[in-house]
Amino acid sequence: MEKRSHWSSRLSFILVAIGSAVGLGNIWKFPYIAGENGGGLFVLIYLICIMVIGLPIFIAELYVGQKSQSNLVTAFEVLDKKKSKWAIVGWLGLVSAFLILSFYSVVGGWIIDYLVKSLTFSFSGKTDSQVQNMMTELFSSPFKQIGLHLLFMFLTFGIVIGGIAKGIERWSNILMPCFFVLLTGLLIYSATTPGFSQALSFLFSFNADKLTAAGVLEAVGHSFFTLSLGMGAIITYGSYLSPKENLLGTAVLIGFMDTIVALSSGIIIFSIVFSYNLDPSSGPTLMFQTLPVLFAKTPGGEYVSIAFFGLVLFAALTSAISLLEVMVSYFDESLNWDRKKTTSIICILLFLLGILSALSTNILSTFYVVKKLTFFDTFDQLTSHYALPLGGLFISLFFGWKVGADKINEMVKNQLIAGVILWSTRVVAPLAILAMIINSIF
Ligand code: TRP
């Protein structure tokens, strides 16, 4: 067998894993779903989910990858037995990855468009409503949407085809730190805007009246999406980790950083929303219709805009790569295809499927798959509300009951922490996931 490639250092792995976790989920999705669900209480539930469900499952996925040193399907066979039924979890993960990347790439395309708009100084001197109309224009053009989606897919393809170890590691190590510096800068800037304190109270004070069962489902689902959990992305990345590496601290650090980015993006975006009297519950267009309003008004805003959309594009790419890598690593290892062929075929299929999402804001905007949900919404909700939590449920049970107490004690020396991890993966996380899925059905 070929020797499996490994990350070059622990720090490097941490940056790559943060690259997978931190993406459009944090910057684009978290603020808008928090806005739609009334803020405070939604944020609290999301934070609880990250701690009670997200972190234990993150550790479980890392462990399964690291100990098995194989792709997400074979991993279960290595740790359990040949032809293990648990391998179905891996298959479910492949389907989820496929669906997620197909619409993720469409949103990635919007980012490319906004980066180009920034580079051509298109926001300068525009009024608030002119800036907001730019999004409407983009949404209504099928060709633009498809073209941008193709471009994003192509960039993702370009990185993954070269093998992630060298390319993605090198870029992550430079650009993730830049991203954090810029985010901190924007956060400090937002503290000087008049809407800042209202943004804080929107996000951190509890008004129970707007939260619905659907909102709870959204919070649970998003805790999976944002940590890249429930479909084997972390199993795959964990499998490139040397078997000796300590997992616990790594998982906590990654979960912490991911949460910080989501909350910071929320604070930045809502400070602008409240400073300029925009609508906090405007949905998926929120980020695109708020930040440019600020960039258009502040001196030097054009340059901040370029840096911002550039780094968001990078954050989106480092996440997209992890989704694609899951599929590529499986098909090239198990079918013995070469990497070039696998990557090309998968990307072509992804492009084709993504067209349905690209057309969901124009030609197909009134074509509902179920209950008022366009293709875009369906792929998004099917994966983050159901497929990821369900995948997470199985991974959690596998880790808690199959891998079991002895192995967990071996990995985590502190008895108390080992106990918490054992029982959260055996009982607490699975029950919480089940409860919310059942709750959402009735
Ligand atoms: N976590 C990424 C984000 O927040 C998206 C992502 C990357 C993802 N890999 C994943 C989501 C695997 C679910 C599963 O944008």
Side-chain angles (χ1 to χ4, degrees):
M1 222 171 102
E2 228 177 285
K3 198 176 164 300
R4 202 173 182 73
S5 54
H6 286 120
W7 308 112
S8 57
S9 69
R10 181 178 133 89
L11 178 66
S12 194
F13 168 72
I14 289 174
L15 287 169
V16 175
I18 291 179
S20 165
V22 170
L24 297 171
N26 307 62
I27 308 159
W28 161 72
K29 198 171 176 191
F30 172 76
Y32 97 73
I33 56 179
E36 284 181 335
N37 288 288
L41 195 57
F42 173 89
V43 176
L44 180 69
I45 294 179
Y46 160 78
L47 292 176
I48 294 173
C49 289
I50 295 281
M51 281 187 290
V52 177
I53 308 179
L55 281 182
I57 297 182
F58 202 96
I59 294 169
E61 284 205 24
L62 274 184
Y63 180 94
V64 170
Q66 186 195 32
K67 285 292 178 281
S68 66
Q69 296 282 304
S70 39
N71 67 67
L72 80 171
V73 177
T74 322
F76 292 95
E77 300 183 332
V78 171
L79 296 184
D80 183 25
K81 54 176 188 280
K82 250 228 126 3
K83 300 256 181 288
S84 166
K85 291 212 176 39
W86 291 97
I88 295 172
V89 181
W91 282 101
L92 177 72
L94 289 172
V95 176
S96 308
F98 195 66
L99 291 175
I100 294 176
L101 190 49
S102 77
F103 74 83
Y104 203 86
S105 166
V106 172
V107 184
W110 304 344
I111 306 282
I112 296 180
D113 187 60
Y114 271 65
L115 177 60
V116 174
K117 287 184 164 69
S118 309
L119 287 167
T120 51
F121 296 126
S122 308
F123 304 126
S124 330
K126 295 281 192 321
T127 64
D128 298 1
S129 63
Q130 278 172 326
V131 169
Q132 303 202 336
N133 281 339
M134 290 179 169
M135 193 68 194
T136 323
E137 237 168 75
L138 169 63
F139 270 16
S140 61
S141 162
F143 291 112
K144 233 173 150 185
Q145 291 266 47
I146 293 177
L148 290 163
H149 157 55
L150 178 66
L151 199 57
F152 186 87
M153 226 31 264
F154 188 73
L155 291 175
T156 312
F157 166 83
I159 301 173
V160 171
I161 201 167
I164 52 166
K166 289 262 157 39
I168 189 56
E169 241 190 79
R170 185 162 0 106
W171 284 104
S172 296
N173 291 0
I174 303 168
L175 289 167
M176 285 319 288
C178 292
F179 176 79
F180 279 97
V181 171
L182 185 76
L183 197 72
T184 312
L186 281 172
L187 191 62
I188 294 172
Y189 178 84
S190 72
T192 67
T193 62
F196 183 66
S197 61
Q198 217 181 330
L200 290 184
S201 78
F202 180 77
L203 286 169
F204 301 113
S205 66
F206 313 134
N207 50 333
D209 45 317
K210 266 204 94 174
L211 196 72
T212 55
V216 176
L217 180 63
E218 190 79 63
V220 180
H222 189 64
S223 67
F224 282 91
F225 188 86
T226 191
L227 290 178
S228 304
L229 291 180
M231 50 137 281
I234 302 301
I235 296 181
T236 305
Y237 271 21
S239 73
Y240 302 123
L241 205 54
S242 124
K244 285 185 292 292
E245 211 69 70
N246 168 306
L247 299 182
L248 187 65
T250 310
V252 172
L253 180 63
I254 295 166
F256 179 76
M257 295 309 273
D258 185 75
T259 308
I260 293 289
V261 175
L263 295 178
S264 308
S265 309
I267 294 172
I268 295 166
I269 288 178
F270 287 113
S271 296
I272 304 169
V273 166
F274 294 119
S275 299
Y276 297 105
N277 286 320
L278 308 170
D279 176 14
S281 60
S282 60
T285 57
L286 184 69
M287 175 181 118
F288 300 94
Q289 296 186 321
T290 51
L291 283 164
V293 167
L294 175 74
F295 298 148
K297 287 192 164 59
T298 26
E302 302 93 332
Y303 299 99
V304 185
S305 179
I306 294 170
F308 178 78
F309 286 108
L311 289 171
V312 174
L313 177 61
F314 182 74
L317 277 171
T318 52
S319 298
I321 285 159
S322 73
L323 286 157
L324 183 55
E325 178 62 21
V326 167
M327 299 181 264
V328 171
S329 82
Y330 174 71
F331 287 105
D332 78 5
E333 284 175 21
S334 65
L335 302 181
N336 250 327
W337 289 359
D338 74 44
R339 196 175 180 91
K340 286 204 178 71
K341 177 169 153 197
T342 324
T343 316
S344 316
I345 294 178
I346 294 174
C347 285
I348 291 170
L349 294 174
L350 278 165
F351 167 68
L352 294 175
L353 184 68
I355 291 178
L356 293 175
S357 294
L359 297 182
S360 290
T361 55
N362 40 68
I363 299 178
L364 297 178
S365 66
T366 52
F367 183 93
Y368 300 127
V369 185
V370 277
K371 285 193 285 184
K372 289 257 164 202
L373 298 180
T374 59
F375 278 109
F376 184 107
D377 302 333
T378 309
F379 294 162
D380 175 12
Q381 301 202 3
L382 190 67
T383 49
S384 64
H385 292 182
Y386 302 102
L388 298 179
L390 216 58
L393 171 77
F394 290 127
I395 292 168
S396 185
L397 291 172
F398 180 80
F399 185 70
W401 297 98
K402 270 273 164 198
V403 172
D406 293 349
K407 293 279 166 38
I408 297 178
N409 280 322
E410 216 170 87
M411 171 176 74
V412 184
K413 291 289 174 288
N414 182 319
Q415 288 238 318
L416 180 69
I417 299 179
V420 170
I421 296 175
L422 179 67
W423 290 102
S424 9
T425 51
R426 279 190 169 177
V427 180
V428 181
L431 278 185
I433 297 168
L434 266 187
M436 80 81 194
I437 293 183
I438 292 172
N439 180 34
S440 76
I441 295 175
F442 296 106

